Amino acid sequence: MYPVYHEMDLMQFGDVINERMEQAYPHTNLRERRVTCGFSQSELSKESGVPIRQIQLFEQRERDINKTSAITLYKLSKALHCSMEALLEK
């Protein structure tokens, strides 16, 4: 029927909410910022020095940008003219 949120433990509830957020907002903050700045993935890779495959994995959510190194976030944020926090996923 429907999920019973009040009977879930916190981890289950967090997982369900994260799934719903990803469905509601399918694009990552990195992709949104990249498109807004007018970069292709390859252009962002050249501008930031971050490998294109790593950018692809971040945008496909196959690699967690929240767990990447600070230097990678710094390079991407400088190329996209934003704060490092703006690229992190909630």
Side-chain angles (χ1 to χ4, degrees):
M1 289 189 352
Y2 60 90
V4 185
Y5 296 114
H6 67 279
E7 292 181 3
M8 293 180 184
D9 67 19
L10 286 177
M11 292 302 292
Q12 288 174 316
F13 178 76
D15 291 341
V16 169
I17 295 303
N18 285 338
E19 286 177 28
R20 289 185 178 235
M21 287 297 291
E22 287 177 9
Q23 290 171 357
Y25 301 101
H27 302 299
T28 62
N29 293 339
L30 175 61
R31 183 179 186 279
E32 291 293 328
R33 182 61 74 161
R34 177 180 61 77
V35 170
T36 300
C37 290
F39 286 123
S40 68
Q41 288 178 340
S42 63
E43 290 170 337
L44 178 57
S45 176
K46 289 175 188 170
E47 185 73 24
S48 67
V50 175
I52 189 169
R53 184 64 185 142
Q54 192 169 9
I55 293 170
Q56 291 169 341
L57 291 173
F58 288 146
E59 290 189 4
Q60 295 167 358
R61 288 193 169 97
E62 290 182 22
R63 186 165 188 182
D64 190 356
I65 197 166
N66 295 347
K67 296 180 181 176
T68 194
S69 67
I71 191 70
T72 300
L73 272 177
Y74 178 76
K75 289 177 180 179
L76 290 169
S77 68
K78 286 300 173 192
L80 296 171
H81 307 290
C82 67
S83 68
M84 291 172 29
E85 293 84 11
L87 299 177
L88 298 176
E89 295 297 318
K90 307 262 187 261

